[in-house]
Amino acid sequence: MHDALAAAARRWDAWNAGIRERPVGPRLSNEAIAERLAAYDFARPRELTALTEDLADLIEQASLHPTHPRYFGLFVPGVRPSGIVADALAAAYNPQLGAWWHGPAASQVERLTLDFLRTRIGLPPSAFATFTTGGSEANLTGVLAALAAAFPRHPQDGLEGVPAVLYASDQAHDSFVKIARTVGLGERAVRRVPSDARQRMDVDALCTAIAADRAAGRAPFLVVATVGTTATGAVDPIGALADVCGRERLWLHADAAWGGIALLSDALRPHLAGIERADSVTWDAHKTLPVPMGAGMFFGRERRFTEAVFSVRTAYVPETEPGTHDAYQQTLQWSRRFIGLKVFMTLAELGRSGVAALVDHQAAMADRLRESLRAAGWTVANDTPLPLVCFTHRDLDARGTSELARRVVAEGRVWISEVHLPDGRTWLRACVTHADVGPADVEELVGALARALSSAPCALPR
Ligand SMILES: *Cc1c(COP(=O)(O)O)cnc(C)c1O
């Protein structure tokens, strides 16, 4: 074990030491990967350290690397040793967190961690909190809790034909489509409320939709506030949505899978004001802290609704100890990994101010990127306090924008993506997800964009 872990640690250190000189994206084709893996037919045993070296090498050569500071990508932050060591410890001792009594130390570590993060949201100490596999499980939990709250017979009897509908903006995460399909609501139960010019849910349009559904005999039960949209980082007007939900007696779920990053910084927290009024909250540690996947979190104002959904009696699990809660009775998961250790160890190592400094640095680098883009003739297109920058260029139409993104990625020095808006526009998108992004990385991105724009072998489509 020691030799194999030491080999992995050596490789990782060497990888990071030279990371800025390496391409962000994969260097091997799918065919080349398959060729290398063809050596593994499981016919004979292999020595673990050599195996470790070989697989580390393959992953290094054939991945898009979120650990690269110039991965301006989707919400996958770089990772720190605290999170990696924690995940190795969790794997090594493999405590079973399905029941408190099975992993009492691990259960208390998670409790303490979630309690600290709950205070950042502003939910009361009586709130329920759990680690999830990711934001999708947390959003599913929110929908199920909302169903149990609105239709108390739902956990036992199902929907019984009740035409239940939920509201999310046209920018909300598509996990709600999957959730509506899997829980039996059906995709048509998801009302995609139009967003305004800043990609935030239009509150008047929401009120109109609720009134129309009620008039048609349908049963609204849930509004999703997206707190940091995946495409452009827009924050729905949480306070106004909480007012609507209070008036209409609807559950408010705040999907802050990535936007929750602002909760970690005293400077950015005010932009999420009102989130403490939500009935439930999704927040991904694996998108907002430098920890490995998967570490989602679900917070519910009241425990009784999730309990109504998930509590069961079994013939084979020993009884819950008084004064504790067994996770398998409170959540969808049964066998449960020690998800929270990497979050705990990262918070403990950095301290509260260290974590805030990481987030503030990412926000500052995003501001710097906005400035540099404007200076270089680009137009910043989105409006968010979060470190996500969408931009356009007057010389590019939608096809040209896609082609430019492809060229930048193909060059391999930086990674960015594109987003498509409901009205057909296409923007470029760069998210500062890595805590080590420096001014030189920002300038490298702007330089790569300029090269892609000007070095056209054939002109970019206009
Ligand atoms: C990523 C994301 C999700 C899904 O979270 P996973 O951890 O990928 O399952 C949900 N909502 C938003 C807003 C997201 O950005």
Side-chain angles (χ1 to χ4, degrees):
M1 167 111 156
H2 179 267
D3 289 350
L5 278 181
R10 226 176 15 248
R11 286 217 62 123
W12 196 79
D13 281 342
W15 168 255
N16 278 289
I19 196 154
R20 281 189 170 82
E21 305 320 312
R22 296 181 227 282
V24 189
R27 279 172 285 177
L28 298 182
S29 65
N30 284 323
E31 291 73 23
I33 298 167
E35 218 164 277
R36 269 189 65 168
L37 286 173
Y40 292 96
D41 58 2
F42 309 116
R44 58 184 175 82
R46 296 204 180 226
E47 198 272 318
L48 180 59
T49 302
L51 198 52
T52 305
E53 295 274 4
D54 191 42
L55 267 293
D57 184 67
L58 183 61
I59 294 166
E60 285 179 7
Q61 290 202 45
S63 303
L64 171 58
H65 289 288
T67 59
H68 198 300
R70 291 196 302 272
Y71 169 80
F72 293 97
L74 306 172
F75 302 138
V76 193
V79 288
R80 294 172 63 83
S82 48
I84 301 170
V85 171
D87 242 9
L89 274 182
Y93 292 96
N94 205 25
Q96 163 64 290
L97 266 76
W100 185 288
W101 50 263
H102 209 303
S107 297
Q108 288 209 39
V109 165
E110 289 203 340
R111 204 74 356 254
L112 188 73
T113 310
L114 290 166
D115 229 44
F116 169 71
L117 295 170
R118 173 191 57 73
T119 63
R120 297 302 304 177
I121 300 174
L123 286 171
S126 55
F128 167 70
T130 184
F131 281 103
T132 62
T133 50
S136 298
E137 185 197 334
N139 281 345
L140 169 64
T141 305
V143 170
L144 289 169
L147 281 170
F151 315 110
R153 285 151 54 113
H154 177 259
Q156 271 66 45
D157 300 329
L159 275 169
E160 296 183 298
V162 175
V165 288
L166 67 92
Y167 304 85
S169 87
D170 57 14
Q171 299 292 304
H173 195 263
D174 293 307
S175 54
F176 289 101
V177 172
K178 290 196 204 179
I179 291 163
R181 290 178 188 161
T182 49
V183 305
L185 284 164
E187 184 176 342
R188 276 209 295 272
V190 183
R191 296 278 182 269
R192 303 304 295 245
V193 180
S195 48
D196 64 16
R198 293 164 62 194
Q199 297 88 50
R200 302 171 312 169
M201 188 191 281
D202 179 334
V203 182
D204 289 338
L206 169 69
C207 294
T208 306
I210 294 170
D213 279 323
R214 289 212 199 278
R218 286 182 282 265
F221 72 100
L222 162 69
V223 175
V224 175
T226 307
V227 179
T229 60
T230 317
T232 72
V235 178
D236 281 348
I238 323 172
L241 295 180
D243 290 342
V244 172
C245 287
R247 224 165 39 231
E248 298 279 346
R249 311 195 46 138
L250 300 174
W251 185 282
L252 178 64
H253 177 77
D255 180 1
W258 173 69
I261 193 168
L263 298 170
L264 298 167
S265 148
D266 289 340
L268 292 177
R269 173 68 180 77
H271 294 288
L272 270 51
I275 194 171
E276 67 284 349
R277 295 172 64 192
D279 295 293
S280 53
V281 177
T282 286
W283 180 6
D284 273 351
H286 68 214
K287 287 180 174 175
T288 60
L289 281 165
V291 298
M293 291 173 276
M297 298 181 285
F298 172 83
F299 299 84
R301 177 171 300 280
E302 290 187 62
R303 178 181 291 275
R304 63 191 166 116
F305 300 113
T306 32
E307 213 154 52
V309 176
F310 295 114
S311 71
V312 282
R313 290 278 154 263
T314 66
Y316 43 85
V317 182
E319 279 199 10
T320 301
E321 279 177 7
T324 69
H325 291 284
D326 289 342
Y328 83 99
Q329 297 264 25
Q330 313 271 322
T331 69
L332 184 65
Q333 295 178 54
W334 204 292
S335 294
R336 173 181 280 268
R337 180 182 163 79
F338 191 1
I339 297 170
L341 184 60
K342 53 197 164 200
V343 184
F344 174 92
M345 282 181 60
T346 299
L347 289 174
E349 190 210 13
L350 288 169
R352 203 181 136 153
S353 60
V355 170
L358 289 188
V359 175
D360 290 338
H361 174 72
Q362 282 169 249
M365 286 301 111
D367 284 341
R368 189 180 171 113
L369 175 58
R370 290 180 187 105
E371 271 168 43
S372 297
L373 285 170
R374 285 191 186 111
W378 298 85
T379 304
V380 173
N382 67 332
D383 180 9
T384 176
L386 305 173
L388 195 169
V389 186
C390 293
F391 52 101
T392 58
H393 196 282
R394 60 181 175 277
D395 294 343
L396 295 173
D397 63 5
R399 221 155 55 80
T401 304
S402 297
E403 170 60 18
L404 185 118
R406 204 193 52 71
R407 276 188 203 169
V408 167
V409 167
E411 195 195 40
R413 298 290 296 172
V414 302
W415 197 88
I416 57 165
S417 56
E418 51 181 303
V419 296
H420 305 281
L421 292 135
D423 62 9
R425 282 178 299 170
T426 298
W427 292 349
L428 294 163
R429 175 190 186 279
C431 184
V432 181
T433 59
H434 201 294
D436 291 347
V437 173
D441 297 310
V442 170
E443 296 321 316
E444 177 97 32
L445 166 55
V446 179
L449 289 164
R451 282 194 297 281
L453 195 61
S454 67
S455 78
C458 50
L460 286 164
R462 158 67 252 187

